[in-house]
Amino acid sequence: MKFKTLTEFIIEKQADYPQASGELSRLLNDIGIAAKFVNREVNRAGLGEVMGYAGEVNVQGEDQKKLDVYANDQFIAALKSGGQCCAIGSEENEDIIILDSEISRYGKYVVAMDPLDGSSNIESNVSIGTLFSIYRRRTIRGAATLEDFLQPGRNLVASGYVIYGSSTMLVYTTGNGVNGFTLDPSVGLFILSHPDMRYPETGSIYSINEANYFSFPEGVRQYIHYCQEEDQETRRPYSTRYIGSMVADFHRNVIRGGIFIYPGTTKNKNGKLRLLYECNPVAFLAEQAGGSASDGFRRILDIQPTSLHERVPLFVGPVTMVKKAEEFMTLFSADFKIG
Ligand code: P6P
């Protein structure tokens, strides 16, 4: 059976846009190349030489593990050599990284990324992932600035993730649906395995860290009770599935139908997840897969970022499930409304 590689697919889709100059296609391909290098190291992580801590602490105040640093370096190197990207915003770096080489300086795009999300799961061999968002730069001359990144998610030209799990997949959208590619390590190619990924109309999985129950908004607590009630017509009680690695939880929920919630709490009203390189990429993918994503009140993709690492609450999943959760938030927790 003839299979379709990521590169073939990207080129084929580019043909749908006569005005496309191929730069975004090359950028996506560069991300695929970096993902293969990260995949190789993630798969060797259990062998010790890349385990443990790099001895540094990142801007989030989290101990950096060697794989965090390795992944960050790989994606920066691939984007720098490709020349389509002129700057990067990374979870691992406090400030934006200007790619000012002769070719990158004129790159049309900027990339916001979490190079290795869920890295606290590395030791337990749980799936982890890379998240990326691609914006067209706004500034027209000179080096890119923070202004190029502080764009609402509705301006995204592409977003996606790589999940390093039982198999490694690259899933992305450019605004025309979501497609998933599985890495065949024997030949080092990403092969189209999940064309046109879409949420089921409704789902029966809810993903949330219930250890934070007593600091959740009342609307979230009421929604959790709703998920746990017996009701055959709506297939409740739902199942709870929470891995602690958003890429893995999100990926499973798109395929099987479920909502992922990382809400604000009485301790952190903005929650934990970062808008630019965690919430926006999955929100774009979710909407392209027939779902929706909000902070409990506002569409994620309409939120105007004010800083590179800002956090927002996240409710993402099938439209019907997110809508139900938002109803509880409006009824019981309007005081948690931000902006
Ligand atoms: P908690 C991983 O650190 C992460 O950013 C997401 O991938 C994941 O969903 C979340 O944090 C887990 O956070 O507080 O439930 O451990």
Side-chain angles (χ1 to χ4, degrees), residues 62 91 114 116-121 131 208-210 212 242-249 260-262 272-274 278 311:
E62 296 161 350
E91 185 206 37
D114 183 351
L116 207 57
D117 175 71
S119 53
S120 57
N121 290 296
L131 287 150
I208 189 169
N209 185 345
E210 294 195 45
N212 301 320
Y242 189 77
I243 295 178
S245 178
M246 181 178 68
V247 171
D249 280 317
F260 174 91
I261 302 174
Y262 207 105
K272 173 182 182 183
L273 302 178
R274 276 70 62 153
E278 289 176 323
R311 302 169 194 261

Side-chain angles (χ1 to χ4, degrees), residues 279-317:
C279 299
N280 270 344
V282 297
F284 190 20
L285 288 159
E287 291 195 3
Q288 287 295 313
S292 65
S294 78
D295 66 354
F297 304 96
R298 300 174 294 172
R299 180 187 180 222
I300 291 287
L301 295 183
D302 284 340
I303 297 176
Q304 173 58 49
T306 54
S307 65
L308 192 61
H309 300 290
E310 77 179 81
R311 302 169 194 261
V312 293
L314 177 65
F315 296 64
V316 58

